[in-house]
Every structure is written in C-alpha cells, then in structure tokens.
Amino acid sequence: MTGKVRIVAAVWLALCGVAVGAVVLTTRPWSRSFSLKPAAESRYQPPSTAGSFRETRGARPAPARPGGYVGSRACAECHAEIYGQYAATPMGQSLASVDEAMPVEGEQAATITPPGNRIYRVVREEGKVFHSEVTLDGRGDPLFDLREEVRFVLGSGKRGRAYLINRNGRLFQSPIGWYAQSHGWDLSPG
C-alpha cells in the first residue's frame, strides 16, 4: 500500500466513524425522565443496620477540604435517612480514610512471610496503621525496612480490603491486603 492510499483510507475510516457517532448520538435516548417518589411509596427496604452507621459515626458535616470539597457526610444533616441507608451498604463503605473506616479486620497486627527474602508487617500505633516491607540479605539480616503510613481503605470488607499509601500527593496500593474468607492478612494479587 502506498502512502497516499494509506492516507485516503485513514481519512475515509475517520469520516465513517464520525458519521456513525452522529447517528448514535442523535438516535440514542441518553436521558430518561423519571419522578422521585416519596420514601413511603418506595419499594426499597433499608438494611437492618441502616441506623447503626449514623449512631456510631455521627452525622456532623465534615469540615471543608482544600478546593471546597466537604464529603458525603455534609449531606447527612438534611438527608439523614438516605445517608444512613447508603452508608450501611457495602458500596457506601467502599472508600474511607483509615480513621473513618469501619473496622472489620480481626487482627490488629500481622506478619506475612512469603517464600523469598521479604517480610511484610501490619502495625497499629496511636490510631495510625503502618505497612512495612523488609528485604533480607542472604544471612537473614535486614537490607532495608520500608515503613509507610496507610491513609485510605478500599473495600467494605465483605470480601476483602486493599490499602492506599499517600506519597507526595500520589496514591499507591500497599502490597498487603485483608481477606474476609481467610479472615486474615496476606499479599495482594500481583
């Protein structure tokens, strides 16, 4: 295929893509009208633990963060019932800071020793959670001990949890995870 034929083919494909996109955008009903029913008419039944989250955590709005973000708890003051129902669901507990996360991990501390020359630890000190990775030399002496404070919890704990570490404004997943099936700490897949 010559250069001119490739250019013509690329332009033709791009025009076909634009045409198909225009047809899809003009014929697809992207928005649907709906009405909000009062709570009494709703078929949704809240979980039996719907009120417990509000009672244990309180419904006070969070202070504003940089950029004006106040978090979902700011909505609880006016929408307490909806907030309580959502907060009791696993999706409502899927991301939280360490100090706000509902504790589901049975073990407060753990040491994980996979095959090889590394040791992983979970340590709780003064309300903070630390994950550490220790690499050992051939004699079993530590070469380095990387200890990081865990800032965020991912997951409700129904199946497990992952943990995020904040390094200079960037989030990284800890290699340590908690698993509900084994009710214990282990390395995250991959």
Side-chain angles (χ1 to χ4, degrees):
M1 212 184 248
T2 66
K4 285 185 179 182
V5 173
R6 285 183 184 171
I7 292 172
V8 170
V11 170
W12 184 80
L13 284 173
L15 289 174
C16 287
V18 170
V20 169
V23 169
V24 169
L25 287 175
T26 58
T27 60
R28 174 102 172 128
W30 290 101
S31 64
R32 300 179 190 268
S33 62
F34 62 92
S35 63
L36 293 175
K37 295 180 181 179
E41 295 178 37
S42 172
R43 288 188 283 167
Y44 173 75
Q45 295 297 317
S48 61
T49 59
S52 64
F53 186 84
R54 258 187 91 224
E55 293 166 10
T56 58
R57 293 269 191 80
R60 285 176 262 116
R65 297 178 185 162
Y69 177 77
V70 294
S72 59
R73 279 197 285 168
C75 302
E77 190 172 310
C78 298
H79 306 282
E81 182 180 353
I82 295 169
Y83 176 80
Q85 290 171 352
Y86 181 72
T89 66
M91 182 59 90
Q93 300 171 26
S94 60
L95 175 65
S97 63
V98 169
D99 57 334
E100 292 177 342
M102 296 283 250
V104 296
E105 301 89 347
E107 301 174 39
Q108 296 297 313
T111 299
I112 304 160
T113 54
N117 63 343
R118 294 184 187 207
I119 298 173
Y120 297 88
R121 291 190 180 106
V122 178
V123 178
R124 293 182 186 268
E125 292 175 358
E126 300 175 11
K128 296 180 180 182
V129 178
F130 297 91
H131 286 187
S132 67
E133 178 180 9
V134 179
T135 299
L136 306 172
D137 65 13
R139 295 184 310 249
D141 296 327
L143 288 173
F144 76 87
D145 184 348
L146 178 62
R147 178 178 157 132
E148 297 277 356
E149 182 180 356
V150 174
R151 299 299 181 128
F152 297 99
V153 176
L154 285 174
S156 66
K158 293 285 184 190
R159 295 187 186 267
R161 280 189 164 165
Y163 302 88
L164 299 178
I165 296 164
N166 182 353
R167 289 187 192 145
N168 300 323
R170 293 184 178 189
L171 296 177
F172 295 88
Q173 183 180 352
S174 169
I176 303 171
W178 185 84
Y179 298 91
Q181 188 173 7
S182 62
H183 201 70
W185 299 95
D186 206 344
L187 295 180
S188 299

